[in-house]
Amino acid sequence: MSSKEVKAGLKSAREAIKNKEFKEALKHCKAVLKLEKNNYNAWVFIGVAATELQQPDQAQTAYRKATELEPEQLLAWQGLANLYEKSDQADFKAELPKIYQKLITLYEISDKAKYFEVSKKLVEVYQLEKNYLQVARVWRRLIQVREREAEEGLEDSELLELWKEMTRLLQDTVEDQDNETQQHLILAFERALQMMVDVPSEVHKSLSQDYIKCLSKLPHEVAKLKEVCDATLSRYPTHPYPLEALSENYIRTGQFCYRLSELDPNNSQAHFGLGIKACQDKKYEDAIKSISLDAKNDPVLLALKGRAHLQKGQTEEAFQVSAELLSSHPGSVEGLTLKGLAHVAKEQHKQAEESFLEALSRSPDNGELFFLLGRLYWSMGDEMRRDRNKAHTHLLKAAKLDPYLGSVFRFLGHYYKEVAKDQGRARGCYKRAFELDSSDAEAGAATVDLSMEQGDMDSALTVLQSVTERATPGSAKWAWMRRGLYHLKTGQHQQAIADLQAALRADPLDWVCWECLGEAYLNRRSFIAALKAFDKAHALQPTSIYSLYQTAAIKQILGRFKEAAAEYRQISEQEDYVPALKGLGECLLALARNALDDYLDGRAVDLIQNAIHYLFRAVKQRPDLSCLWKLLGDACTTSRTVSPNRAKVLVPGALCGMDPPDQSHTLDQRQLLTLGERCFGRALKLMPEAPRLWCDLGLNYYHQSRLLNCLYPEDDAQSLLEKAMQCVKKAIKLDSANHTYWNTLGVVAMAKGRYKYTHDVHNCISLDYITNVVAWTNLGALYLKKGNIELSHEALKIAQSLEPLYVNCWIGQAIIAETVGSFDTMDLFRHTTELSTHTEGVKGYAYWVCSTLLDKSNRDSELYLYNIVQMNAISAAQVALSKYTERIQTDPDAFIMLGYLNTHLQLKKQATEAYRRAVELLQASPHTDQLSFALRGYGRALSDDGQWEEAVRVYSSTPLEELHDLIGLALACFRIGRLPESYEKALVVASSEKEKACILTALALIQHRLGSMDHAKTLLFKCSMLKEPVPESLQCLCALGLVHGDVTLASATLTELLKLGEPIGGAVEERCLLTCTLLALQGNFSGVHREAARAIHRYCIIFRDTVSLNFIQCDKATRTYHFYFCVNLEFNSFHLRRNALKTIQRAVLLCPEDPAGWAGLMAACHTENTACLLTGSAPRREDLERAHMTLSLQAEDGLLAQALEGWVLQQAVTGLKQSSQYDQAETLCSQVLSVSPEHPVVFLMLRQVQCERLLLSEASNCVPPAVLDQLSAAVMANHTSVSAWHWLAEVYRSQGLLAQASVAYRKSLQLASQLGDHFGKMSSLLRLALLALMPCLFWQSQLPWKDLVLEASAEVLKMGSSPVALLYQALLQFSIKMGARETRRLLEKIVYASASGSSETIASVARWYLLRHLHTKDDLELIDTLLVKATAEGDSRLVDFHRRLYPSS
């Protein structure tokens, strides 16, 4: 680097800042940083310029960088402080105190004035932040510095002003300060008062007053307050403020100020303070006495002081006061009373009793002492409470002696309520206590509670009303809560909510009050508000089961069954709480019904099993509850919907009556329905007059009969239907107004075949309940069953008008449309699947979709395009039919249709499974046509899924007559290696020229596979002679010519192929590939490039013109052209790598599923990273190897996929090594070897990674010979890899084994010659020449290496132009004789050669050596010419080298 350039740049930046040309300053600074990246001044100047340009973030970064470089320099810190002071950003303001602190540290030694200035700024910042402790600390440190200066002659007046300023800063916020800050403030006052010379004076008096005011705000500094007040009064006897402060302190804290009494024994403020304290203790008589007191050391005052200690829990202090009182006034009642109260506080009942009795002996008419004794006996336990001579007697005497003491009547109320059980007297006592003291919440609450218990609501409401009217917000919680509960009980929910909310304002943490508020919201049907209230109650009291239960119950009401079940389950884990178990069973049953509606039968069975489990737990607790038995019956009966083979439920043995009873047993569907029957029967025993139970029992019998008809047709189901009818009739008899029971009766009667009876029932229902959609639908179904189409249509039409979303009436209309042959049939069935999933609707829709698809003649009709394409019929039918077959697993027709639809959707495995199920169901069926159709579909599905042998077996099991089936069999046989004979049969069956052409093409491919080329050509020629030749046959013939090098045949066939017109679909790609291959075979490589580019341009234009407003998609041909085109760019020009990367990115974007595209992108990114490393810049696309590798390995099986896999793996490992991620590279190789141990290429890559890691480690100076032998063996195992020998040679070279490296390069050269690898041969020769050049440049033994350089470079030049080879020759000549004319000639040939085909790196190296040569010759003219050339090429490295050679220039 040049110090002159740095200084000049800094000077220019400084001048630019001075002239306010801040952008120019930034440019100069950046130029300096390029030369010296850690230049402190440059970073500071950048901060200054960025600050002025309103770029605070850049300024901060620059200043921060400068402070890191030189943390003890001031400029950067000053700049940061200036930046943060000007900015309004919160993060800057937060950092400002730290900057000030650093500046204070730096200024403390160098500049005291600046130190004081910055300290004051820091104090202002802390003052704004209300960080008073830091204000005190900073100011204290400032004073300490000043004190050190005072020792050197500074005047005390300046220090005095600093102490006074500190008091002014802190005195207004003393109450918000912590203890340390307060101590700093006290010190400031004391030091300021000590340093004042003019005493007494107004200034001193004012400062003393401020000090007293400050101390009066500190309760813990009472002693110091007294001391300062005394000192102030001694200097200023007439100053009233000290006395006022003392009196205020007494009123606030309740502590006696002896000095105030001594100064003014008759001071009214002091007595007023005593009165206030007595009022706070609820001793109103004592308050009146205290106001008029003027005696010194009065025992009453001392007793009040002791009681104050007791109220604060200071028992020991109270004992001390009582001892003082008894010592100064022996035997005083106040002292004995205080002593007794202190014993009560410590639960020393015996000692307390003795003290109270002694006091009572001295003052037998003291009502308070009788009350204290009565209260003491009450607190000593039940036995004392029941003893009338103890608590009751003393409380009565207290009431007689002091009838205005409300506490006495409260405890009397306790006695009458809990001991005497006299609620009337208790109520009277509580009422009297509350009248005497309206703030007695306990007495008021007891009064109201007893009034409500005795039914005297008016009295209770009167009390509550009087309290709530006087209450301030946040008080009288007990009154608000009780009034709220009263309103809740009387149904006034809105008023109850208002009262309970008022109660919560007084105590927001009362969980009981939250529960009451939740109840009020719940009764008002405000479910969300109730939910929040119960959640709050549960958060405050997690052990409350009631709040959790109500939360779950509300969520159940809101239909949030899953959340409700979770909370019910939480309760059931704690205890068998029957309401929670019942709610949990209901939620699980509701979730099971929802799952059944969605055809999630497996989930539904699990939920039913859990519901039975929890409901049985509830039944064990309360077997007398009919609702629990009904829920159990519902749970068992709900299993009727699922397939019988899925309805397997674990039921407790005690419930199902199976042994052992303590274990669960698996019940099938029939057993579950029988168990449901028993549960309904048990519920009816408890509630025999419940019509709903009779109807549910009848439906259970009905479902049992249907199951018998389906699975056990030999059993008689009529008896069950008869029971069902009798049960439903019983329900109707109990509640004849319920239309549901009548409808159920009609359904059961129809199942018995009593159509006339059913007709009459449904007709009555439809007339009586004219808006009942179910009744009208069932009536329509009955008419349809009887064949009366018109009446059925009318009934169903009425049902549709009543409820358009009821799916059953739409299914009926669809069946009618199908019966009469209407074109709307498919639309109607489709509409039923959109409304909901119903088995009849699903099967009908699937049938019509499959029928339409089987008809190949209607593909272009509007009906097909609308019903199938536009309405997405195949997917919709497949989804619906999948649900159908999940539930009904005995319908072969449904499985056949499902397989057919899956085949259309390319769902190969699903199609195979569906056809397999259909075949299994039809094996024992007499319907041979259906079985044959299923077998043919099964064979096609197996072929599509790649199960060729099984497909041949299935095809062979049924007669094949159709062309499609014969071709399928032939293809399956071909796939398993058997010579298919079915193609010959298919050729006979083929009816059109096109079919024959396709079959002949297939036969030609078979002959080609068998090695009969002539026969294959004959068949293809025969195919091309047909009237309707197919493009595939011409493509095969052209490919055959290309493979065998027959350019004439290929060219002629391609010409015929082009005559067929524009290609479509995959033919675009194939035709372009054939054309490119033919051009390459003819040696026209530029034509290959043009053809690929033309295809990209042409078909992308077609794409843009034909597809709009849709997602961007592109055909495979266009994507492939992109890939080949970018590979061509990558290969032909290093400078076009950006175009190649963009092109391959576009190809990947158009076709993300194409593995070849991802492989190309992987190569392009690697090339980009390599180019960055060569230019010295950071790679821009790192850590993408694993992701690209995963995406590139998505190809199907085959030779091409295997080759792609090997290449991608090698590319990924290379990229990981280049980015020094050796651990990941080794892990990747090891993973592949764990799957394919015999993989020499991967094994070599693993050895390469391990070796390179070893070379980069600390032990890289020497690789053990054993390791070198292993590496050599791994390279030899890859007998076709030229690059492997190159790598081994580099390893030898790194170890100084040049001879072995030369042998390895010669091996690679030999291998490249054998393989005909032109580039591999050239690379081996250049590497060999470079290996030989190294010892020549370093003046070692030159002779053998010199000849090797000349020989290798000459061979390269024979193969073509090579600037690298010329450079090697020039460098060899330079090493032999630097100053020779031949040296200059060879170097100038490279430097001044044409730029085309040459590398800038090669030219730069040549210029560097040429400059050295010219320097030795001191040829300044040629040097100037060379510098002009270098400057034009941007070769700054050579210019810097020249400056070093010629410092003075």
Side-chain angles (χ1 to χ4, degrees):
M1 83 182 63
S2 174
S3 60
K4 291 183 178 180
E5 290 182 357
V6 171
K7 291 179 180 178
L10 292 174
K11 182 178 180 182
S12 300
R14 188 180 293 106
E15 291 296 325
I17 292 174
K18 184 177 181 181
N19 297 329
K20 297 187 177 182
E21 297 175 355
F22 302 108
K23 293 185 178 180
E24 289 298 318
L26 285 176
K27 293 181 181 178
H28 291 305
C29 292
K30 291 178 180 178
V32 170
L33 290 176
K34 288 183 180 179
L35 299 173
E36 185 178 332
K37 64 180 181 179
N38 291 333
N39 189 285
Y40 177 82
N41 289 326
W43 285 110
V44 172
F45 289 161
I46 288 177
V48 174
T51 302
E52 297 298 329
L53 291 172
Q54 302 300 319
Q55 298 175 359
D57 293 332
Q58 184 179 357
Q60 178 186 233
T61 303
Y63 282 134
R64 286 291 186 187
K65 179 65 176 178
T67 58
E68 291 172 3
L69 294 173
E70 295 187 27
E72 301 304 319
Q73 290 290 330
L74 278 168
L75 284 177
W77 294 108
Q78 290 172 338
L80 269 177
N82 183 46
L83 171 66
Y84 289 171
E85 287 170 355
K86 292 180 179 179
S87 175
D88 293 328
Q89 295 186 23
D91 54 342
F92 284 8
K93 293 298 183 184
E95 292 292 322
L96 188 56
K98 298 179 182 177
I99 305 303
Y100 281 155
Q101 288 173 352
K102 183 63 178 180
L103 286 173
I104 288 172
T105 304
L106 297 175
Y107 281 138
E108 186 173 358
I109 301 173
S110 61
D111 191 343
K112 291 295 189 294
K114 290 287 187 182
Y115 173 84
F116 295 137
E117 179 183 347
V118 176
S119 296
K120 291 179 180 179
K121 288 183 178 180
L122 180 57
V123 166
E124 292 174 0
V125 172
Y126 284 138
Q127 194 80 4
L128 290 174
E129 295 177 354
K130 298 182 179 181
N131 192 344
Y132 304 117
L133 177 59
Q134 292 299 329
V135 171
R137 287 176 176 175
V138 173
W139 203 265
R140 184 74 182 89
R141 184 179 174 187
L142 176 63
I143 291 175
Q144 289 173 352
V145 174
R146 282 296 192 185
E147 287 175 343
R148 288 197 297 269
E149 292 181 359
E151 297 174 0
E152 302 172 2
L154 186 70
E155 296 182 2
D156 289 342
S157 60
E158 294 187 20
L159 278 176
L160 175 60
E161 289 302 319
L162 289 175
W163 284 113
K164 290 168 67 176
E165 181 63 25
M166 184 172 178
T167 64
R168 284 193 291 273
L169 287 171
L170 297 174
Q171 65 181 1
D172 294 333
T173 58
V174 64
E175 294 173 318
D176 300 329
Q177 298 166 7
D178 59 7
N179 186 59
E180 183 181 348
T181 310
Q182 292 169 356
Q183 295 304 316
H184 281 297
L185 177 58
I186 292 172
L187 177 64
F189 273 115
E190 290 178 349
R191 294 297 299 275
L193 290 170
Q194 289 173 7
M195 296 182 69
M196 291 189 72
V197 179
D198 191 8
V199 178
S201 64
E202 286 299 318
V203 176
H204 183 269
K205 184 169 70 171
S206 175
L207 186 61
S208 298
Q209 181 174 329
D210 290 341
Y211 190 18
I212 293 171
K213 185 185 295 185
C214 172
L215 290 173
S216 66
K217 297 177 181 179
L218 303 177
H220 57 281
E221 294 292 345
V222 176
K224 190 174 289 293
L225 174 64
K226 293 177 182 178
E227 179 184 346
V228 176
C229 286
D230 289 342
T232 305
L233 285 171
S234 66
R235 286 193 176 92
Y236 308 99
T238 60
H239 190 31
Y241 189 78
L243 294 175
E244 293 174 2
L246 286 171
S247 61
E248 287 176 3
N249 178 71
Y250 173 73
I251 293 171
R252 183 172 61 255
T253 62
Q255 300 204 5
F256 187 74
C257 182
Y258 298 101
R259 177 61 177 163
L260 181 59
S261 300
E262 292 174 0
L263 291 173
D264 188 3
N266 298 320
N267 188 283
S268 60
Q269 255 185 327
H271 290 178
F272 178 73
L274 287 171
I276 292 295
K277 183 64 179 66
C279 289
Q280 290 176 352
D281 290 339
K282 300 181 181 180
K283 305 296 183 183
Y284 303 108
E285 296 84 354
D286 294 341
I288 295 172
K289 294 176 184 177
S290 297
I291 293 173
S292 60
L293 280 178
D294 56 357
K296 181 180 178 182
N297 292 330
D298 192 290
V300 176
L301 296 178
L302 289 174
L304 288 175
K305 180 181 178 181
R307 294 197 181 193
H309 283 302
L310 287 176
Q311 286 185 350
K312 294 180 179 180
Q314 300 170 352
T315 311
E316 296 301 328
E317 287 81 352
F319 272 118
Q320 183 179 353
V321 173
S322 67
E324 293 176 0
L325 185 57
L326 290 172
S327 64
S328 60
H329 299 81
S332 67
V333 174
E334 291 80 4
L336 292 170
T337 304
L338 180 59
K339 184 179 179 181
L341 289 172
H343 284 302
V344 170
K346 297 191 72 172
E347 297 184 358
Q348 297 172 352
H349 298 143
K350 189 66 176 175
Q351 294 88 330
E353 182 184 13
E354 293 174 356
S355 298
F356 288 145
L357 288 173
E358 185 179 354
L360 194 59
S361 66
R362 297 180 182 274
S363 180
D365 295 331
N366 192 324
E368 184 186 11
L369 286 173
F370 278 104
F371 165 68
L372 293 175
L373 263 174
R375 188 178 67 176
L376 174 64
Y377 292 140
W378 180 264
S379 63
M380 290 173 67
D382 293 339
E383 186 176 351
M384 284 292 186
R385 293 180 182 182
R386 288 192 295 269
D387 189 348
R388 293 179 61 87
N389 294 324
K390 295 296 185 180
H392 180 248
T393 301
H394 286 83
L395 289 172
L396 282 177
K397 288 183 180 180
K400 290 178 181 179
L401 292 171
D402 190 354
Y404 298 100
L405 189 59
S407 303
V408 175
F409 291 97
R410 183 175 74 247
F411 275 90
L412 278 172
H414 293 341
Y415 174 81
Y416 287 123
K417 180 183 177 182
E418 298 178 19
V419 178
K421 304 298 182 182
D422 189 342
Q423 305 298 326
R425 286 190 177 183
R427 176 185 170 189
C429 291
Y430 284 134
K431 185 177 180 182
R432 178 60 178 169
F434 186 66
E435 289 172 351
L436 292 172
D437 184 4
S438 60
S439 63
D440 189 346
E442 186 178 1
T447 301
V448 173
D449 292 342
L450 288 175
S451 297
M452 288 186 173
E453 287 179 11
Q454 295 173 6
D456 190 358
M457 294 296 180
D458 294 337
S459 298
L461 283 178
T462 301
V463 174
L464 294 174
Q465 190 71 22
S466 64
V467 175
T468 54
E469 286 177 354
R470 296 193 310 267
T472 58
S475 63
K477 167 193 165 184
W478 66 273
W480 289 112
M481 187 170 181
R482 280 163 175 77
R483 199 173 80 159
L485 291 174
Y486 168 77
H487 288 137
L488 181 61
K489 184 177 180 180
T490 58
Q492 302 177 47
H493 304 131
Q494 188 59 43
Q495 188 60 43
I497 290 170
D499 290 345
L500 292 169
Q501 287 173 341
L504 283 171
R505 292 189 191 99
D507 185 6
L509 301 181
D510 187 349
W511 61 275
V512 176
C513 195
W514 279 107
E515 285 187 350
C516 296
L517 181 60
E519 282 289 341
Y521 280 129
L522 184 59
N523 289 331
R524 200 183 68 175
R525 312 296 290 176
S526 298
F527 297 117
I528 301 301
L531 187 62
K532 292 180 180 178
F534 283 118
D535 282 340
K536 181 67 174 179
H538 185 64
L540 293 172
Q541 184 65 23
T543 60
S544 172
I545 291 179
Y546 179 75
S547 56
L548 186 59
Y549 168 75
Q550 288 290 23
T551 300
I554 293 170
K555 289 181 179 179
Q556 182 180 352
I557 295 172
L558 295 174
R560 294 155 60 177
F561 300 114
K562 191 172 182 180
E563 298 176 29
E567 289 169 351
Y568 280 137
R569 192 176 284 111
Q570 185 178 345
I571 298 173
S572 65
E573 290 172 356
Q574 300 177 23
E575 60 178 271
D576 285 341
Y577 186 54
V578 174
L581 292 170
K582 174 179 175 290
L584 180 55
E586 290 173 340
C587 289
L588 293 173
L589 200 53
L591 289 171
R593 292 191 177 110
N594 292 339
L596 289 173
D597 292 340
D598 294 334
Y599 279 63
L600 303 174
D601 291 355
R603 182 185 300 176
V605 170
D606 292 340
L607 290 168
I608 290 170
Q609 177 175 298
N610 291 334
I612 293 174
H613 169 72
Y614 288 109
L615 289 171
F616 180 64
R617 280 178 58 184
V619 162
K620 286 194 296 184
Q621 299 295 321
R622 292 294 303 274
D624 58 323
L625 293 180
S626 175
C627 59
L628 297 178
W629 291 106
K630 180 195 180 314
L631 286 172
L632 274 171
D634 289 340
C636 295
T637 308
T638 303
S639 65
R640 73 186 185 276
T641 308
V642 302
S643 176
N645 60 343
R646 296 289 295 273
K648 308 292 184 183
V649 177
L650 283 173
V651 177
L655 177 62
C656 61
M658 301 174 69
D659 293 327
D662 57 342
Q663 294 182 6
S664 296
H665 302 270
T666 302
L667 303 187
D668 57 20
Q669 194 171 41
R670 185 176 184 181
Q671 291 172 318
L672 278 172
L673 290 174
T674 304
L675 178 60
E677 171 194 344
R678 290 171 49 201
C679 292
F680 284 132
R682 186 70 178 269
L684 282 168
K685 287 182 180 179
L686 296 171
M687 294 183 65
E689 301 300 319
R692 180 73 259 177
L693 291 175
W694 284 107
C695 184
D696 289 340
L697 180 58
L699 284 172
N700 179 277
Y701 283 129
Y702 168 72
H703 294 306
Q704 287 189 57
S705 68
R706 293 189 62 187
L707 183 65
L708 284 180
N709 288 331
C710 179
L711 299 180
Y712 311 101
E714 66 278 2
D715 293 349
D716 184 17
Q718 291 299 315
S719 60
L720 290 171
L721 288 173
E722 185 60 34
K723 290 181 181 180
M725 284 199 70
Q726 296 303 322
C727 290
V728 178
K729 286 180 180 179
K730 177 67 174 179
I732 293 173
K733 184 178 180 181
L734 293 172
D735 184 9
S736 60
N738 193 319
H739 65 86
T740 305
Y741 306 153
W742 287 100
N743 185 64
T744 305
L745 181 61
V747 172
V748 175
M750 191 171 179
K752 285 179 64 67
R754 298 171 62 177
Y755 299 126
K756 180 68 170 62
Y757 184 82
T758 305
H759 174 268
D760 295 340
V761 170
H762 284 297
N763 205 15
C764 291
I765 297 172
S766 60
L767 292 176
D768 292 341
Y769 302 95
I770 199 163
T771 60
N772 191 300
V773 64
V774 178
W776 283 107
T777 303
N778 289 343
L779 184 61
L782 178 61
Y783 284 134
L784 186 60
K785 181 78 173 177
K786 296 173 66 176
N788 196 332
I789 301 297
E790 293 182 1
L791 289 178
S792 176
H793 172 68
E794 291 298 326
L796 293 171
K797 186 167 69 173
I798 295 173
Q800 287 174 307
S801 65
L802 292 173
E803 180 53 70
L805 299 181
Y806 187 59
V807 67
N808 291 25
C809 56
W810 286 97
I811 293 174
Q813 292 286 31
I815 294 174
I816 292 174
E818 185 178 43
T819 304
V820 300
S822 172
F823 288 105
D824 295 330
T825 303
M826 190 171 179
D827 257 350
L828 289 169
F829 275 119
R830 175 181 54 77
H831 185 62
T832 64
T833 61
E834 292 173 351
L835 291 174
S836 66
T837 304
H838 191 284
T839 53
E840 290 295 331
V842 166
K843 189 173 181 182
Y845 185 52
Y847 168 78
W848 278 95
V849 171
C850 292
S851 300
T852 307
L853 291 173
L854 284 170
D855 185 4
K856 303 293 180 64
S857 62
N858 62 352
R859 288 292 188 267
D860 297 327
S861 65
E862 293 184 5
L863 196 64
Y864 179 87
L865 294 175
Y866 173 76
N867 285 332
I868 302 299
V869 179
Q870 186 175 342
M871 302 310 297
N872 197 21
I874 300 176
S875 297
Q878 189 268 344
V879 171
L881 203 56
S882 296
K883 295 179 180 179
Y884 177 94
T885 54
E886 181 71 16
R887 177 165 297 174
I888 302 177
Q889 302 181 0
T890 58
D891 189 346
D893 296 335
F895 281 107
I896 291 174
M897 290 188 291
L898 180 60
Y900 186 71
L901 294 172
N902 284 331
T903 302
H904 270 273
L905 293 173
Q906 299 297 313
L907 301 174
K908 301 174 183 178
K909 294 188 180 298
Q910 292 88 331
T912 304
E913 179 62 21
Y915 277 125
R916 184 189 66 79
R917 295 289 302 278
V919 170
E920 288 179 354
L921 291 171
L922 290 169
Q923 287 292 350
S925 172
H927 304 291
T928 55
D929 293 340
Q930 279 185 290
L931 178 60
S932 177
F933 185 88
L935 285 169
R936 296 198 301 272
Y938 189 25
R940 287 193 297 272
L942 289 168
S943 297
D944 292 339
D945 197 30
Q947 302 181 42
W948 308 109
E949 294 184 1
E950 184 66 15
V952 171
R953 186 190 66 77
V954 171
Y955 271 128
S956 303
S957 64
T958 184
L960 303 177
E961 297 178 357
E962 296 184 5
L963 176 64
H964 187 72
D965 299 327
L966 290 169
I967 292 176
L969 176 60
L971 179 61
C973 292
F974 175 76
R975 289 290 187 178
I976 62 175
R978 289 171 48 185
L979 182 62
E981 300 176 357
S982 298
Y983 277 125
E984 300 294 342
K985 298 179 181 178
L987 191 60
V988 176
V989 176
S991 58
S992 65
E993 293 284 328
K994 187 173 182 179
E995 292 174 350
K996 292 179 180 179
C998 292
I999 296 172
L1000 288 173
T1001 303
L1003 288 171
L1005 292 173
I1006 293 173
Q1007 294 300 323
H1008 182 269
R1009 175 66 64 87
L1010 296 174
S1012 179
M1013 304 301 173
D1014 294 336
H1015 195 184
K1017 284 185 180 180
T1018 302
L1019 289 171
L1020 289 173
F1021 276 122
K1022 183 178 180 181
C1023 181
S1024 64
M1025 299 301 294
L1026 294 173
K1027 294 180 181 180
E1028 296 183 18
V1030 291
E1032 288 79 4
S1033 62
L1034 294 175
Q1035 288 174 358
C1036 291
L1037 188 58
C1038 181
L1040 193 63
L1042 292 173
V1043 169
H1044 295 284
D1046 192 343
V1047 178
T1048 304
L1049 176 61
S1051 179
T1053 309
L1054 187 59
T1055 302
E1056 292 296 323
L1057 186 61
L1058 294 175
K1059 291 179 182 180
L1060 296 179
E1062 290 293 330
I1064 57 174
V1068 175
E1069 175 192 5
E1070 295 166 355
R1071 190 172 298 184
C1072 180
L1073 290 177
L1074 290 174
T1075 305
C1076 292
T1077 307
L1078 179 60
L1079 291 171
L1081 194 62
Q1082 294 172 345
N1084 187 0
F1085 296 104
S1086 60
V1088 175
H1089 187 110
R1090 287 195 302 273
E1091 179 66 23
R1094 184 185 301 113
I1096 293 172
H1097 179 70
R1098 182 174 185 181
Y1099 290 104
C1100 280
I1101 289 175
I1102 294 174
F1103 166 72
R1104 286 194 295 268
D1105 290 342
T1106 56
V1107 181
S1108 61
L1109 301 178
N1110 291 321
F1111 289 111
I1112 298 178
Q1113 298 176 350
C1114 188
D1115 58 5
K1116 187 178 179 183
T1118 304
R1119 298 190 298 265
T1120 306
Y1121 299 155
H1122 276 298
F1123 174 63
Y1124 290 130
F1125 186 65
C1126 72
V1127 170
N1128 201 339
L1129 288 173
E1130 194 80 49
F1131 176 78
N1132 280 299
S1133 176
F1134 178 78
H1135 298 286
L1136 293 177
R1137 66 177 187 274
R1138 295 295 300 162
N1139 292 333
L1141 181 58
K1142 290 181 180 179
T1143 306
I1144 195 63
Q1145 284 174 336
R1146 185 177 180 187
V1148 170
L1149 179 64
L1150 295 173
C1151 181
E1153 75 278 1
D1154 189 357
W1158 289 105
L1161 180 59
M1162 189 177 185
C1165 291
H1166 179 74
T1167 304
E1168 180 77 7
N1169 290 338
T1170 304
C1172 291
L1173 291 173
L1174 291 175
T1175 57
S1177 59
R1180 288 181 283 184
R1181 291 171 176 83
E1182 294 184 303
D1183 301 327
L1184 299 175
E1185 287 80 7
R1186 295 296 292 265
H1188 287 164
M1189 177 181 172
T1190 303
L1191 294 167
S1192 301
L1193 296 180
Q1194 296 176 350
E1196 298 179 357
D1197 295 335
L1199 296 176
L1200 180 61
Q1202 295 175 5
L1204 181 64
E1205 178 182 351
W1207 182 89
V1208 167
L1209 178 62
Q1210 190 169 2
Q1211 181 67 60
V1213 173
T1214 303
L1216 292 171
K1217 288 193 299 181
Q1218 182 175 281
S1219 58
S1220 301
Q1221 301 182 41
Y1222 291 100
D1223 290 335
Q1224 295 187 23
E1226 185 172 353
T1227 302
L1228 180 60
C1229 295
S1230 301
Q1231 289 175 351
V1232 176
L1233 287 174
S1234 65
V1235 179
S1236 303
E1238 301 298 329
H1239 206 311
V1241 176
V1242 181
F1243 186 75
L1244 174 61
M1245 284 191 285
L1246 178 60
R1247 287 285 182 258
Q1248 289 176 336
V1249 172
Q1250 294 171 342
C1251 179
E1252 291 184 21
R1253 290 186 65 179
L1254 181 63
L1255 291 173
L1256 291 173
S1257 66
E1258 296 179 357
S1260 61
N1261 294 330
C1262 182
V1263 177
V1267 175
L1268 290 175
D1269 292 341
Q1270 292 178 4
L1271 298 177
S1272 178
V1275 170
M1276 294 180 67
N1278 290 266
H1279 52 82
T1280 60
S1281 177
V1282 176
S1283 61
W1285 286 105
H1286 291 171
W1287 175 81
L1288 181 61
E1290 285 298 313
V1291 174
Y1292 283 136
R1293 185 194 61 76
S1294 67
Q1295 299 301 304
L1297 304 175
L1298 300 184
Q1300 288 87 332
S1302 175
V1303 172
Y1305 279 133
R1306 293 179 187 277
K1307 289 278 189 181
S1308 69
L1309 179 61
Q1310 181 182 358
L1311 179 60
S1313 300
Q1314 293 174 355
L1315 297 175
D1317 185 356
H1318 175 83
F1319 295 105
K1321 183 178 179 182
M1322 180 178 287
S1323 176
S1324 299
L1325 288 169
L1326 289 174
R1327 290 170 182 268
L1328 185 60
L1330 179 61
L1331 176 70
L1333 182 61
M1334 289 298 103
C1336 297
L1337 290 176
F1338 290 102
W1339 308 99
Q1340 295 183 8
S1341 178
Q1342 300 181 26
L1343 187 58
W1345 300 112
K1346 170 187 172 184
D1347 296 338
L1348 185 57
V1349 173
L1350 292 174
E1351 178 184 356
S1353 58
E1355 288 296 324
V1356 172
L1357 291 172
K1358 288 179 183 179
M1359 298 173 66
S1361 176
S1362 176
V1364 179
L1366 292 174
L1367 179 63
Y1368 289 168
Q1369 290 182 352
L1371 295 180
L1372 177 63
Q1373 179 62 30
F1374 183 89
S1375 66
I1376 295 172
K1377 192 173 183 181
M1378 181 193 302
R1381 181 176 298 176
E1382 181 65 16
T1383 302
R1384 191 184 80 186
R1385 185 187 68 80
L1386 291 173
L1387 290 172
E1388 286 181 341
K1389 182 178 180 181
I1390 301 171
V1391 171
Y1392 299 108
S1394 174
S1396 61
S1398 62
S1399 169
E1400 176 59 30
T1401 303
I1402 296 172
S1404 178
V1405 173
R1407 281 194 292 268
W1408 198 83
Y1409 279 97
L1410 181 57
L1411 180 60
R1412 287 183 59 188
H1413 167 79
L1414 296 176
H1415 175 67
T1416 58
K1417 294 292 187 179
D1418 199 21
D1419 194 337
L1420 299 179
E1421 182 178 355
L1422 291 178
I1423 288 175
D1424 292 340
T1425 304
L1426 181 62
L1427 287 175
V1428 170
K1429 177 69 173 177
T1431 304
E1433 297 294 336
D1435 192 350
S1436 59
R1437 180 171 172 269
L1438 187 76
V1439 176
D1440 292 340
F1441 183 45
H1442 175 260
R1443 289 197 185 111
R1444 293 172 63 184
L1445 292 176
Y1446 297 94
S1448 60
S1449 60

